[in-house]
Every structure is written in C-alpha cells, then in structure tokens.
C-alpha cells in the first residue's frame, strides 16, 4: 500500500480585510452564539474558547488535513492506517484531520457492519479518541457504525473528537443511500440504518464546522441550513462514493456546495477496491469558498493526506464581495411567490 503526502495553500480572492477587523468580526459572532439557544431540530454546540484562542494568537489561517484510504473488513488494519495518517497530519501542523466514511470498517457484504456496530463509549471509538489525544489533533470521523435502537439497525454517525480526545459532537446521517446504480449494483442503506433527524454545528479551532455524510451531498437544503441558519464556515463531507457516481458527480457537487454556501468544504474519500463487490471513487478534496480546489492527493487510489489552510479572511472577503446572505429570499417569500 502506497502512502502519499501533499501540501496546498489557498490564495485569497482580491484584497482581504485586515487581521484586526477579522478578529473583531469573529468575536462578535462567538459572543452572539454563546447567548443563543437551539431548537429541538437543531443541535448547536459552541465553545467560544476554541476559535477565540486562534484569533487572540493573531492567526488568520489554520491548517487542516484530509485523508484518503481503502478500508477493509479488518478493524485493526484500518486503525493502523488511520493512526499513521493522524501522525502525518500532526507532523504537518494540521489542527484537524478528516477521515472518510466507514474509516473503521467496510464489510464484505450487506449486514456485516451490524456485527461490529457499538456505542460511542465502546473500544473502537475510544481507540480513535486516544489517537486524537495523543497527537493533539481534532478528528472528523465520518460514517462510524454506531449501535442503533435495535439489533437490526445502526446509525451512520459522523463523530467530531477534539484534541483532548473528547467527543465534541455527533451527527447522524439524514439521507440514506437507497439507489440503483446505472450499470452497477443496488444499495438499500435504510434496510439496516436509522436516519438521523438533527442538524449539527460546532465551533472548533479551524472554524465553525457543519458535519454531513456522503449521500447528504446531493441535498443542498442541508448545506443552506448549515450556512445561513447556523453560521457554518467549514462543511465536512466524509464519503464512500461509488466509482460510477463519483466519476460523474463528485467534484461538481462538492464545488457547488462550496460556491453556494461560501464555505470551505473538506471531503475525505474512500478509494479503490475494498473487496470483490465494492469499489469507491476516491479523490479526497479541500475546496475554498470561491470553489477552488486547494488540496487533493496526487492520485485517486493512493492512501495518504492532503493539507491546506483555512483562511478566515478569505471567507469574510468572499462573503462581503458576493453578499448572498443579504440577497437570498426567505422560505416565506417563495411560498407566497406566484407561479
């Protein structure tokens, strides 16, 4: 198995605002969040100190890493690969590493995942929490097989772990992959997976994160909510896209989500053949708010990481120059609009 490492840097769009203005802007947002409450349908987890510590240090950018790997039906082997990638990310100065959907396990056949599903305080997830703590890196663990409400179901859960090894937030995949792939196999994720119901946003040292999972990518309403209702700055899309759908739509959809929300998008991907029946597209990407790919591995089949910098000033600049938040119409407007 080959391991690759790639570094990329974002280039701001035109003239960006000064560091002092940037600091005041984000302190205002953090103060606003700390006094807010969440509705039943939205989980908002905020700790002002995370992002504020970066701002107080005068940093206008923070490094992140995205992983690409080929998980198999071997928990120990996948953990060993993940451990190596976490250490690479830490050595590169990344504050967050994003691993792909099904990072810990990909079964040979449907239903195998149920056999390894466990609670978040079980040994599998706690092993990854230890990785985060030992390397002092936040981890985006998207698509963990969390035990469901009964033995016949699991939750496809995106877990965010901080650099002290604490689970900071969880998002359970809303949109389940029940699809007949053209020229390929049929998938019925809902046969063994419970759909999530809550939108989640959480502050971190690399900005305000909006976690999603794979097939969610095809539903822009979720990302619109994360940006405009919950002030996300970085959207996370860990995935295991099929080869057919990935070739057709992967990069296009990711860049569209970045452009229409003016957020960074970090999309960690499974890559290559997991077994005789399953193959993933690959192509892990980091995309800036202007829709430019600023981080990607040299090829779609390699195992490794790519890194790039989250530039808070670029987020502010893009949003100020193209003020779509100000111009967008409300849901009530569209309901009342004549057809």
């Amino acid at each position: 198995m080959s391991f690759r490492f790639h570094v990329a840097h974002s280039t701001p769009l035109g003239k960006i605002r000064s560091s002092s203005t940037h600091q005041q802007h984000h302190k205002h947002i953090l103060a606003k969040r700390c006094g807010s409450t969440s509705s039943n349908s939205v989980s908002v987890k905020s700790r002002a100190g995370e992002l504020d510590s970066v701002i107080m240090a005068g940093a206008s950018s923070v490094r992140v890493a995205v992983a690409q790997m080929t998980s198999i039906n071997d928990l120990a082997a996948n953990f060993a690969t993940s451990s190596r990638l976490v250490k690479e990310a830490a050595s590169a100065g990344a504050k967050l590493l994003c691993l792909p959907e099904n990072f810990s396990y990909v079964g040979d056949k449907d239903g195998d995942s149920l056999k390894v599903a466990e609670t978040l305080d079980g040994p599998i997830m706690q092993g990854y929490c230890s990785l985060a703590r030992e390397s002092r890196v936040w981890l985006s663990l998207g698509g963990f097989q969390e035990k469901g409400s009964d033995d016949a179901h699991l939750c496809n859960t995106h877990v965010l772990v901080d650099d002290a090894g604490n689970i900071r937030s969880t998002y359970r995949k809303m949109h389940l992959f029940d699809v007949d792939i053209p020229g390929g196999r049929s998938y019925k994720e809902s046969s063994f997976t419970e759909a999530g119901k809550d939108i989640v946003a959480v502050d971190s040292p690399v900005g305000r994160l909006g976690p999603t999972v794979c097939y969610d990518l095809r539903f822009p309403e979720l990302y619109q909510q994360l940006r405009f209702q919950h002030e996300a700055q970085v959207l996370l899309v860990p995935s295991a896209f099929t080869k057919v759908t990935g070739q057709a739509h992967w990069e296009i959809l990711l860049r569209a989500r970045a452009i229409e929300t003016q957020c960074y998008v970090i999309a960690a991907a499974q890559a290559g053949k997991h077994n005789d029946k399953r193959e993933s597209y690959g192509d892990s990407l980091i995309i800036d708010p202007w829709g430019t790919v600023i981080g990607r591995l040299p090829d779609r089949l390699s195992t490794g990481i790519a890194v790039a910098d989250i530039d808070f000033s670029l987020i502010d600049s893009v949003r100020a120059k193209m003020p779509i938040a100000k111009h967008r119409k409300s849901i009530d407007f569209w309901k009342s609009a004549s057809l």
Side-chain angles (χ1 to χ4, degrees), residues 22-74:
H22 156 73
Q23 292 172 12
Q24 293 171 2
H25 172 73
H26 283 284
K27 284 183 181 179
H28 170 72
I29 290 178
L30 286 166
K32 177 181 175 184
R33 287 184 197 137
C34 289
S36 66
T37 58
S38 61
S39 68
N40 291 334
S41 62
V42 179
S43 174
V44 179
K45 302 192 178 180
S46 179
R47 179 180 287 188
E50 298 296 348
L51 184 55
D52 204 37
S53 64
V54 175
I55 294 169
M56 292 300 290
S60 63
S61 64
V62 184
R63 180 155 291 185
V64 296
V66 64
Q68 185 170 285
M69 62 190 293
T70 309
S71 297
I72 57 175
N73 64 339
D74 186 325

Side-chain angles (χ1 to χ4, degrees), residues 145-307:
Q145 293 93 355
E146 181 188 10
K147 195 171 183 62
S149 60
D150 58 57
D151 291 340
H153 293 87
L154 55 77
C155 294
N156 192 338
T157 303
H158 188 157
V159 183
L160 290 168
V161 180
D162 68 21
D163 56 5
N166 302 310
I167 294 176
R168 188 63 66 85
S169 181
T170 57
Y171 163 79
R172 292 172 179 87
K173 185 180 181 182
M174 288 184 173
H175 302 97
L176 302 183
F177 195 57
D178 292 356
V179 176
D180 296 327
I181 300 299
R185 57 173 287 193
S186 295
Y187 293 84
K188 189 75 172 176
E189 188 176 16
S190 66
S191 67
F192 61 90
T193 306
E194 298 175 2
K197 299 178 181 179
D198 297 330
I199 297 174
V200 174
V202 60
D203 286 323
S204 80
V206 303
R208 190 158 175 81
L209 305 176
T212 66
V213 180
C214 199
Y215 190 49
D216 285 332
L217 180 60
R218 294 184 181 273
F219 301 88
E221 301 90 349
L222 172 57
Y223 299 88
Q224 297 283 307
Q225 286 283 317
L226 284 167
R227 159 70 207 278
F228 297 110
Q229 300 302 316
H230 311 297
E231 300 179 324
Q233 297 168 302
V234 183
L235 304 173
L236 308 178
V237 195
S239 299
F241 253 56
T242 70
K243 184 177 180 180
V244 173
T245 58
Q247 287 175 334
H249 303 145
W250 173 246
E251 183 174 337
I252 295 170
L253 287 170
L254 290 167
R255 295 180 69 184
R257 296 297 88 86
I259 294 166
E260 68 197 13
T261 63
Q262 299 174 320
C263 290
Y264 280 89
V265 170
I266 307 177
Q270 289 284 349
K273 287 194 171 185
H274 308 280
N275 50 55
D276 292 339
K277 297 180 180 179
R278 184 164 178 177
E279 182 175 4
S280 294
Y281 177 67
D283 204 15
S284 292
L285 298 172
I286 304 173
I287 302 168
D288 75 14
W290 194 242
T292 303
V293 176
I294 59 170
R296 106 190 299 159
L297 272 75
D299 69 76
R300 292 192 301 99
L301 296 179
S302 61
T303 292
I305 66 170
V307 304

